[in-house]
Amino acid sequence: METYMLAELTIARNGASTRLVFTSAQLVIVTEAGFRLWYIDLDGITQTSLLREFEQSEDIRVDLSGVTQGGQAFKAVGYLHPNTKHHAAAIRGDGVLPGF
C-alpha cells in the first residue's frame, strides 16, 4: 500500500470544475494479489453545498486532477462519496491511476 498526501485536488462534472478546499487529503494505492485499486480520503471540506449536491445525486462520477505534496500531478476518473455530516468525502478510483 502506498500513501500520498495531496496538496490540491480539482473535480469536474457536467461541464463545471471545482477546486476542493480541505484540511487534509490522502491518496491511497492498494496493490494486493495482482489487483490494483486507489482511493482518496478527504477531510475538512468546507464546500458543504457541493457535498449535499453529491448526496442527492445518482451521478457521482467525476473527472479529477490533483497534485501530491511531493509535486506529482495526476488525472483520473472516480466516484465521489460525500459524508456531509463530517465535512468529508471519499473518491473511489475507476481504472488505473497513471503515473503511480
Side-chain angles (χ1 to χ4, degrees), residues 10-70:
T10 300
I11 61 169
R13 75 173 184 150
N14 301 328
S17 181
T18 304
R19 184 171 177 175
L20 297 179
V21 179
F22 51 83
T23 55
S24 70
Q26 183 176 33
L27 166 63
V28 179
I29 300 170
V30 180
T31 306
E32 291 181 12
F35 294 102
R36 189 170 175 99
L37 62 95
W38 61 270
Y39 61 90
I40 298 171
D41 281 329
L42 298 132
D43 288 309
I45 298 173
T46 60
Q47 295 134 311
T48 307
S49 61
L50 178 73
L51 292 175
R52 283 193 196 110
E53 182 181 319
F54 274 92
E55 235 175 30
Q56 298 169 0
S57 177
E58 290 182 23
D59 178 17
I60 59 172
R61 183 186 183 276
V62 293
D63 295 310
L64 55 110
S65 60
V67 179
T68 66
Q69 286 184 351

